[in-house]
Amino acid sequence: MKLDPSRAFAWACLLAMLALTVVPLWVVVKTALTPSQDVFSQAAQLWPDTPTLRNFTRVLGLVSHEESLAMGGSGAEVHFLRAVGNSLLFTGIIVTLQVLTSSMAAYAFARLRFPGRELLFGLFVASMMVPGVVTFIPNFILIKDLGWLNTMAGMVAPFCLMSGFGIFFLRQFFLSIPRDLEEAAILEGASPLRVFWRIVLPLSTAPLATLAMLTSINMWNEFFWPFLVAKDETMQVLTVALQSFKSQTPQGSPDWSGLMAATALAVVPVLVLLFLFGRKVVESVQFSGSK
Amino acid sequence: MSAVPRPPSAFGPNRRRETLTAFGLVLPALIGFVLFYAWPAWRAVEISLTDWNLLREPNWVGLDNYVKLWGDERFWRGMQLSAWYVAFNIPMQTVLGLFLAVVMDRLARSLFIKAVVLLPYLLSNVLVALMWLWLLDPLLGGVNALLTWSGIGHQPFFAGETQALATVAAVNIWRHMGLVALLFLAGLQNIPRYLYEAGALEGATEWQMFWRITLPLLRPVMVFVLVTSVTGSFQIFDTVAVATNGGPLESTRVIVHYIVQNAFSFYKMGYASAMSMTLCLVMVLYTVLQMRILRANENDLA
């Protein structure tokens, strides 16, 4: 294959951009593998002289507090596995409920006739435009008044029932399904609910998966709301736990090797997601911009 | 938004049942909407007209908070910093993303490359901030080791009063560039190839074709990217909260950080709400203006 100069230049740019993505992640992994006491002296190296997994075991809570201090930890602790568990629960509850309630509402908007339909749909779509800064104070007060601070319920409540994007997106898809199948079922006496459950939902696995994917990514990465309502150590999701691990530095400087071990571990679920569902993730994210 | 076709009365005479079922299906979303969007939006206006501090009963103070905000240097400083942040962040992110998309469109459409390009966006703001805090550490970070070696010399990055905000912006460009590139790439692939073939026959250069064909036809994607990314990045908070917490010397105390500080450190709920409402108004005005200027709902391919 002939390589003309402009093509070579384009390749050089692409490779440079890819390196810009990958090299920082490499440095994270390298730092995580470096013994704490060598982090500063070997900061400029690409590979530690004596790589170790101890930072990982330390972060995962597999060694005692004293041992961890002796290894050069800052004395701060991150309950990594518990935070991952909280994040999984937080994301799982929201994704499940949001996909369910969005598909229910979207079906009603796409297929059923009821008074106030257009107005309600317009309001739901408009809710996407409300910036988070407007609602967070009243929502915080509501959660506080309900006694739901530092609970999973308080964390998931504002997200789990309604998603303007989810409703809009699924309604568009439902409108595109040919009505023939549904009409046949209705002629045979099927109720609207039955049509929804038995015909429309099974035909919609692809858009449902897209919505679930996008919601999972957003919720797994959500920081602001859990940071406001669930700072309590036992309830922290991963993002909040990492932030608080960073800001606790009982012995002066942050525990970089520990932090980078935690960071590296936190990247793993994302890599797994990309490895298993790469195409779906890329297509879902691209889709979100093509409305 | 497309007009809603009136569905035929598929469920026949059972109108009552149809209506009831429909309300049943919409109900959970409606509860969510009322409890967490509509009512809070109303409450936010109400609270902004009081001096509420969570501890005692709120007093009605009328527009006092808004008057105070008008004269609050720190509020305007926060707005200004957020605006600067957007000015650093958006043009670079959009141009780099577009460039990367054009390059990818030409060379490589492999899933692997797309996945690598998207990877930073899939990491949370918190993770990204932590990574770069270490990489850009003023004394020991890898980037400074490189800069010293290359003769450019140490930079303070997050720790420098004049560099901190630009550093936050750069870090977020790193996180979003790939996302923007993939959005543009999807748009590029909708442009019919024959337009370029026709252009080439007429002797147009690559550069001319980019300006005359590619860019105009990407307008819908451009509008989407600009509207969502500008309003989103004006509300920058996460990275600041993790990396600088508003410092050094308040040089990164962007508006949302200032609002959160007023609400949750000083418990000035009324004042914080008034600032939120003002910010919201600015966002809405911006969105309307942008839609007008970029003629958002027209598509040149249609």
Side-chain angles (χ1 to χ4, degrees):
Chain A
M1 200 173 86
K2 200 172 106 252
L3 199 67
D4 63 81
S6 75
R7 227 179 146 74
F9 172 73
W11 268 114
C13 293
L14 184 62
L15 290 177
M17 299 255 198
L18 293 180
L20 196 64
T21 304
V22 175
V23 171
L25 290 166
W26 170 253
V27 176
V28 171
V29 174
K30 180 219 84 172
T31 309
L33 291 169
T34 309
S36 300
Q37 66 274 13
D38 296 340
V39 162
F40 298 137
S41 58
Q42 300 181 8
Q45 288 175 216
L46 280 177
W47 185 250
D49 294 338
T50 48
T52 171
L53 289 175
R54 300 185 91 183
N55 296 313
F56 290 98
T57 51
R58 196 151 62 83
V59 167
L60 287 170
L62 301 176
V63 295
S64 72
H65 188 66
E66 290 70 32
E67 251 184 287
S68 156
L69 273 180
M71 282 182 213
S74 68
E77 302 229 13
V78 57
H79 293 273
F80 191 84
L81 292 178
R82 188 170 65 195
V84 168
N86 285 337
S87 273
L88 280 175
L89 199 60
F90 173 75
T91 309
I93 293 174
I94 291 172
V95 171
T96 312
L97 288 176
Q98 226 184 60
V99 169
L100 184 71
T101 61
S102 298
S103 59
M104 283 161 55
Y107 172 71
F109 285 127
R111 287 290 197 262
L112 302 178
R113 295 196 304 180
F114 58 98
R117 193 176 64 146
E118 318 297 315
L119 175 73
L120 216 52
F121 181 69
L123 284 174
F124 284 6
V125 171
S127 75
M128 278 193 276
M129 302 284 179
V130 180
V133 288
V134 173
T135 48
F136 81 90
I137 291 174
N139 278 343
F140 174 84
I141 291 163
L142 177 66
I143 295 303
K144 182 173 165 291
D145 288 346
L146 286 169
W148 284 1
L149 288 184
N150 293 312
T151 66
M152 190 50 77
M155 273 197 273
V156 300
F159 301 106
C160 69
L161 290 176
M162 219 286 289
S163 154
F165 172 74
I167 293 172
F168 177 77
F169 166 57
L170 288 178
R171 174 182 162 277
Q172 291 296 94
F173 180 81
F174 293 161
L175 284 175
S176 75
I177 303 177
R179 288 164 181 270
D180 314 8
L181 269 174
E182 292 166 62
E183 271 158 14
I186 292 162
L187 280 180
E188 285 171 24
S191 69
L193 271 187
R194 208 177 150 75
V195 170
F196 170 59
W197 196 252
R198 284 297 170 83
I199 298 177
V200 174
L201 277 191
L203 283 174
S204 311
T205 45
L208 291 175
T210 297
L211 181 61
M213 194 70 83
L214 288 171
T215 313
S216 310
I217 294 167
N218 287 335
M219 288 301 125
W220 183 264
N221 291 338
E222 173 69 22
F223 170 71
F224 189 60
W225 182 251
F227 171 72
L228 292 184
V229 298
K231 286 196 181 124
D232 198 82
E233 216 192 321
T234 56
M235 290 313 296
Q236 287 173 348
V237 293
L238 190 54
T239 49
V240 179
L242 287 173
Q243 194 267 351
S244 91
F245 183 38
K246 182 246 148 188
S247 30
Q248 307 166 344
T249 47
Q251 302 202 330
S253 78
D255 165 16
W256 285 115
S257 57
L259 261 175
M260 289 304 114
T263 304
L265 285 174
V267 175
V268 171
V270 176
L271 292 178
V272 170
L273 183 81
L274 272 180
F275 187 75
L276 292 179
F277 307 110
R279 185 170 301 278
K280 189 78 195 164
V281 175
V282 169
E283 282 168 3
S284 299
V285 169
Q286 281 190 319
F287 181 85
S288 69
S290 65
K291 281 174 303 205
Chain B
M1 212 184 316
S2 54
V4 190
R6 277 225 159 272
S9 186
F11 295 97
N14 280 326
R15 281 301 294 276
R16 243 180 86 85
R17 199 172 94 180
E18 189 180 333
T19 304
L20 277 179
T21 311
F23 276 116
L25 288 172
V26 174
L27 191 66
L30 184 61
I31 294 174
F33 173 74
V34 170
L35 275 184
F36 297 107
Y37 289 90
W39 193 56
W42 170 249
R43 284 280 289 150
V45 178
E46 243 178 23
I47 296 170
S48 79
L49 302 172
T50 69
D51 65 352
W52 200 19
N53 64 2
L54 287 183
L55 303 174
R56 50 173 171 68
E57 284 301 298
N59 292 314
W60 179 265
V61 296
L63 291 175
D64 278 12
N65 285 323
Y66 291 90
V67 174
K68 193 167 117 199
L69 161 170
W70 190 256
D72 181 357
E73 244 172 67
R74 290 178 156 176
F75 170 77
W76 293 112
R77 179 89 182 119
M79 290 293 256
Q80 207 183 11
L81 286 173
S82 290
W84 269 116
Y85 169 78
V86 172
F88 283 132
N89 181 278
I90 300 299
M92 276 297 267
Q93 184 174 299
T94 312
V95 169
L96 284 173
L98 184 57
F99 178 70
L100 183 56
V102 171
V103 168
M104 283 170 78
D105 189 42
R106 281 300 178 75
L107 297 178
R109 300 180 187 177
S110 83
L111 182 63
F112 175 74
I113 291 184
K114 285 182 190 167
V116 173
V117 163
L118 188 62
L119 180 60
Y121 174 70
L122 300 176
L123 309 177
S124 62
N125 283 318
V126 176
L127 269 187
V128 171
L130 284 175
M131 283 175 57
W132 285 100
L133 259 180
W134 166 235
L135 285 159
L136 299 174
D137 188 85
L139 294 175
L140 305 146
V143 175
N144 265 323
L146 208 65
L147 289 179
T148 309
W149 172 79
S150 68
I152 297 174
H154 261 245
Q155 300 297 325
F157 296 114
F158 287 119
E161 202 191 332
T162 51
Q163 289 181 7
L165 191 68
T167 307
V168 173
V171 164
N172 280 321
I173 292 170
W174 182 81
R175 179 169 181 255
H176 286 101
M177 192 176 67
L179 169 72
V180 174
L182 286 186
L183 296 180
F184 277 130
L185 184 61
L188 282 175
Q189 293 178 347
N190 284 333
I191 298 177
R193 298 285 139 173
Y194 67 78
L195 290 177
Y196 293 104
E197 286 155 20
L201 278 180
E202 308 248 319
T205 62
E206 294 262 331
W207 193 238
Q208 283 171 330
M209 287 199 274
F210 176 77
W211 284 103
R212 299 281 174 78
I213 302 174
T214 311
L215 212 51
L217 290 179
L218 276 181
R219 206 185 60 214
V221 188
M222 186 72 87
V223 173
F224 175 82
V225 168
L226 284 180
V227 171
T228 54
S229 64
V230 170
T231 50
S233 80
F234 204 87
Q235 296 174 59
I236 166 84
F237 175 80
D238 295 6
T239 314
V240 169
V242 177
T244 65
N245 200 20
L249 293 172
E250 308 195 344
S251 62
T252 57
R253 202 177 50 196
V254 291
I255 187 62
V256 175
H257 193 269
Y258 187 51
I259 295 175
V260 171
Q261 195 182 30
N262 269 279
F264 296 103
S265 305
F266 311 147
Y267 301 111
K268 293 183 185 169
M269 293 296 168
Y271 191 48
S273 292
M275 289 195 283
S276 297
M277 296 310 300
T278 311
L279 176 56
C280 175
L281 192 70
V282 173
M283 301 285 87
V284 170
L285 283 179
Y286 167 79
T287 306
V288 172
L289 212 67
Q290 170 117 52
M291 295 296 226
R292 277 279 164 82
I293 292 172
L294 292 169
R295 291 172 296 141
N297 10 356
E298 290 164 41
N299 184 339
D300 294 339
L301 272 177

